[in-house]
Amino acid sequence: WFWDITSLKRLHLRGCELSGTFPDELGNLTLLETFDVQGNNIQGMIPATLKNMCNLRSLGLSFNNIGGGITEVIDRIPNCSRKNLQELALMDANITGTTLQFVTNLTSLYVLNVHGNQLSGSVPVEIGTLANLTYLNLGNNTLSGSVPAEIGTLTSLTHLYLGRNNLSGLISEDHFAGLMNLESLDLSSNNLDVIVDSHWMPPFNLESAWFSSCHLGPQFPKWLRWQKSTKILHISNTGLVGKIPYWFWTTFSDATYLDISLNHLSGNLPLNLEFMSVIKLLMQSNLLTGLIPKLSRTTEILDISRNSLNGFVPNFQAPQLRAAALFSNSITGTIPKTICRMQKLRVLDLSNNLLSKELPDCGIKELKQGNPSSNNSSKVRSLRYFSLRITSFLLSNNSFSSGFPLFLRQCPRLVFLDLTQNKFTGELPGWISEAMPGLVMLRLRSNKFSGHIPVEIMGLQDVRILDLSNNNFSGAIPKCLEKLKALTHTSTSNNMSFDNPFEEGYRSSMSMSSSLSNDSFLVVIKGQLLEYRENTLYLMSIDLSCNSLI
């Protein structure tokens, strides 16, 4: 009955779970100006009966399985509407082709989105004829060759996305000459050299910029200093060398996402970044030295791993921090006591550092400072109320000493605990399973723990990785190993539900901070050093070797 409503001008069927093919009767709607069927499961080419839709202004076919070549798709658009078509959305539609020359016939386009297809060939110089274009997205295809300078004549352009292609060659001032309205630019994941004069002042003020894997260096681009409206900046792996300029932190003080990782940036960081608005700050794999600064109240994710930082500033603060990757630095001393006040912290990776002594005990005094509204209840209830929310705590390859950390009594939500390769001593306490009932991974390998393995540890019903190897444990292996219920299950990997404790912990801890670059760990199994990444989800292991057990 739909196709009898021939007076329709606008038809929006986005995300309606439609399937099958386009019906030929679609051509009955000759007055249609807007046709949007994005986000369905429609398969096959649009019908040739569209030839009578001479009023078509907007065609949205994204997120379907159109298939076929781009030339065939364009041929199905009515000739009589091509010069009036203002919006063409073909994102993730499984379209192939080696030419984008069709753009010369669509001179009225405001929006062109062919992101996420299999288009190859080059970006045609005729792109400059689309004078009305405000949004151009050619990203995530296999386009090659250079970017034509004619793109710089599109004075109305606000969004330009060319990322994730095979583009190469030079990007110069000419490519940006007329883009005074540009707000968002993506050139990432190409082989492009962005070379502009050191005194060049861009005509635009970007809100978001992606340059990852382009070549911007070796000097830090001075033109970025004028981008004071930028909220998102990605300049990772861009060949930058030397110190981060002093103006960087003030210019991007209002940015929420900063990624300067995988460069050769050196020198010390400012000791105080509390004035910034950044939520996600990525600086891993550089040559940074000095102290880890006080962070903004807005910062939730910090990755400063694989640098040469040597400690924390006094009274280190990060009140909103949820995930911190600080591994593979040269951090000495102890973990700051202010961690006891980080009530939102979920993931903390300090492995491969030079930390020593013992962990803060997070006594009631420290915890109350993070929860000033507390009442005068009993100490036991208070400690439970003030418990931390850490789910992933990784401290391997440091020099921590003393007994099993009392700090962990305040971590009832812990899922992943790795204390391998330290100098912890003494016996394991019986409260491990009571204080951390949801542990899925408990790794204590290569320490100096001694005594009997407590029977209570077998109360960890969710544990799948239990590594107590290379310590000084003695006595009999507990006979109640069968209480480790998760290790007796045989669920297949394809049927693991989200309420599975390992998957839930894995997603909340690791996937929450997918940018954190230490999403793997090493396991010694039968003398082999094996690296596990996403497949950690399916590993089950007990290792009690290299002790004095009977």
Side-chain angles (χ1 to χ4, degrees):
W1 58 268
F2 233 73
W3 317 120
D4 294 330
I5 312 177
T6 55
S7 59
L8 272 181
K9 290 186 177 182
R10 287 176 291 277
L11 179 57
H12 295 268
L13 297 171
R14 182 180 298 204
C16 292
E17 300 184 16
L18 298 173
S19 59
T21 59
F22 289 101
D24 289 337
E25 291 85 354
L26 185 60
N28 296 345
L29 307 180
T30 57
L31 300 180
L32 207 61
E33 297 176 4
T34 299
F35 182 47
D36 186 350
V37 289
Q38 299 181 80
N40 286 284
N41 190 32
I42 301 173
Q43 299 186 359
M45 188 57 60
I46 54 179
T49 54
L50 262 64
K51 62 184 179 180
N52 295 322
M53 287 187 184
C54 293
N55 296 304
L56 201 60
R57 298 290 188 274
S58 177
L59 180 60
L61 306 176
S62 298
F63 301 108
N64 284 287
N65 190 15
I66 305 300
I70 186 68
T71 302
E72 187 179 3
V73 173
I74 300 304
D75 285 345
R76 297 295 176 95
I77 298 176
N79 282 324
C80 53
S81 70
R82 289 186 187 180
K83 290 188 177 181
N84 297 318
L85 192 68
Q86 296 177 354
E87 180 175 358
L88 178 60
L90 298 170
M91 184 177 183
D92 289 316
N94 192 26
I95 295 173
T96 61
T98 59
T99 179
L100 292 175
Q101 298 295 335
F102 68 86
V103 297
T104 58
N105 298 320
L106 304 175
T107 53
S108 295
L109 274 184
Y110 282 83
V111 174
L112 175 60
N113 188 349
V114 293
H115 176 280
N117 287 287
Q118 302 166 47
L119 300 175
S120 55
S122 60
V123 181
V125 296
E126 289 84 1
I127 202 80
T129 63
L130 304 182
N132 297 319
L133 209 59
T134 62
Y135 184 101
L136 176 60
N137 192 340
L138 307 179
N140 201 15
N141 283 282
T142 57
L143 299 172
S144 57
S146 59
V147 178
E150 284 77 6
I151 214 162
T153 65
L154 301 176
T155 56
S156 299
L157 203 61
T158 59
H159 295 75
L160 174 59
Y161 302 111
L162 301 176
R164 296 188 181 183
N165 279 288
N166 298 321
L167 299 170
S168 59
L170 178 67
I171 298 289
S172 67
E173 295 99 324
D174 293 340
H175 290 82
F176 304 126
L179 304 184
M180 64 282 295
N181 293 305
L182 197 64
E183 300 172 2
S184 188
L185 174 63
D186 184 1
L187 300 177
S188 63
S189 300
N190 285 291
N191 188 26
L192 294 168
D193 293 313
V194 182
I195 300 178
V196 296
D197 186 85
S198 59
H199 300 292
W200 177 66
M201 293 185 63
F204 47 71
N205 198 348
L206 297 174
E207 293 182 4
S208 55
W210 292 268
F211 291 99
S212 301
S213 299
C214 292
H215 190 266
L216 299 181
Q219 301 300 317
F220 212 96
K222 292 182 179 180
W223 63 268
L224 286 176
R225 186 174 184 177
W226 311 111
Q227 302 303 297
K228 296 184 178 181
S229 298
T230 300
K231 302 296 183 184
I232 299 174
L233 177 66
H234 289 246
I235 51 174
S236 65
N237 191 28
T238 51
L240 300 180
V241 177
K243 294 184 178 181
I244 301 173
Y246 70 92
W247 50 259
F248 177 82
W249 306 105
T250 52
T251 296
F252 297 105
S253 60
D254 291 331
T256 58
Y257 193 132
L258 291 175
D259 185 354
I260 59 173
S261 60
L262 297 164
N263 285 293
H264 300 279
L265 297 169
S266 57
N268 295 354
L269 296 171
L271 296 181
N272 192 332
L273 295 178
E274 290 180 304
F275 63 92
M276 300 193 71
S277 303
V278 64
I279 296 174
K280 195 169 186 177
L281 180 57
L282 308 181
M283 299 184 285
Q284 70 269 24
S285 299
N286 279 288
L287 304 171
L288 300 172
T289 54
L291 301 177
I292 299 170
K294 288 184 181 180
L295 299 178
S296 163
R297 293 191 64 84
T298 60
T299 304
E300 297 181 6
I301 293 179
L302 172 69
D303 191 345
I304 200 169
S305 60
R306 297 192 175 102
N307 280 282
S308 298
L309 298 158
N310 56 28
F312 296 87
V313 295
N315 196 27
F316 171 75
Q317 300 284 349
Q320 299 296 320
L321 196 61
R322 299 182 63 196
L326 310 176
F327 64 89
S328 298
N329 279 284
S330 301
I331 303 172
T332 59
T334 60
I335 297 176
K337 283 190 175 182
T338 51
I339 189 177
C340 303
R341 302 198 292 269
M342 297 181 189
Q343 293 294 308
K344 297 191 176 181
L345 188 62
R346 301 292 187 275
V347 180
L348 179 60
D349 190 345
L350 280 163
S351 55
N352 300 320
N353 276 290
L354 303 172
L355 291 160
S356 59
K357 300 180 181 178
E358 58 185 5
L359 276 65
D361 61 8
C362 282
I364 194 69
K365 181 179 179 181
E366 289 84 0
L367 290 165
K368 276 189 175 180
Q369 291 176 353
N371 296 270
S373 61
S374 63
N375 54 30
N376 294 320
S377 59
S378 69
K379 183 175 181 179
V380 173
R381 289 183 60 191
S382 296
L383 286 171
R384 185 179 300 125
Y385 176 76
F386 292 130
S387 63
L388 300 174
R389 300 180 183 180
I390 297 176
T391 58
S392 201
F393 195 38
L394 311 176
L395 299 180
S396 64
N397 196 20
N398 279 282
S399 296
F400 288 107
S401 55
S402 77
F404 192 83
L406 291 174
F407 170 84
L408 298 173
R409 297 200 73 156
Q410 265 51 69
C411 303
R413 304 188 185 192
L414 209 54
V415 176
F416 298 94
L417 176 61
D418 190 352
L419 304 181
T420 61
Q421 290 180 278
N422 278 283
K423 299 177 182 178
F424 290 109
T425 59
E427 298 184 359
L428 294 186
W431 50 258
I432 291 180
S433 59
E434 179 185 355
M436 301 172 285
L439 272 182
V440 170
M441 181 180 82
L442 176 60
R443 302 183 69 221
L444 307 179
R445 177 172 56 87
S446 298
N447 278 284
K448 298 180 180 180
F449 290 117
S450 58
H452 293 255
I453 297 175
V455 174
E456 291 86 352
I457 208 170
M458 301 307 157
L460 295 171
Q461 297 195 8
D462 294 331
V463 77
R464 294 193 178 198
I465 301 172
L466 178 62
D467 188 350
L468 308 181
S469 64
N470 200 20
N471 279 283
N472 298 319
F473 292 115
S474 58
I477 296 174
K479 293 183 179 180
C480 50
L481 281 175
E482 73 275 4
K483 289 187 177 180
L484 302 176
K485 297 297 185 183
L487 286 164
T488 66
H489 294 171
T490 56
S491 59
T492 60
S493 60
N494 292 330
N495 295 321
M496 297 181 75
S497 62
F498 184 70
D499 57 9
N500 179 297
F502 192 100
E503 186 172 16
E504 185 172 358
Y506 183 85
R507 290 188 182 184
S508 64
S509 298
M510 301 300 187
S511 300
M512 180 194 79
S513 50
S514 58
S515 63
L516 303 188
S517 45
N518 196 31
D519 57 346
S520 67
F521 70 95
L522 299 175
V523 180
V524 178
I525 296 180
K526 296 185 178 181
Q528 295 184 73
L529 190 64
L530 305 177
E531 182 178 29
Y532 285 83
R533 289 187 178 272
E534 292 83 0
N535 50 4
T536 307
L537 189 61
Y538 311 114
L539 177 64
M540 295 185 181
S541 171
I542 299 178
D543 194 345
L544 307 178
S545 60
C546 298
N547 284 289
S548 299
L549 297 166
I550 57 173

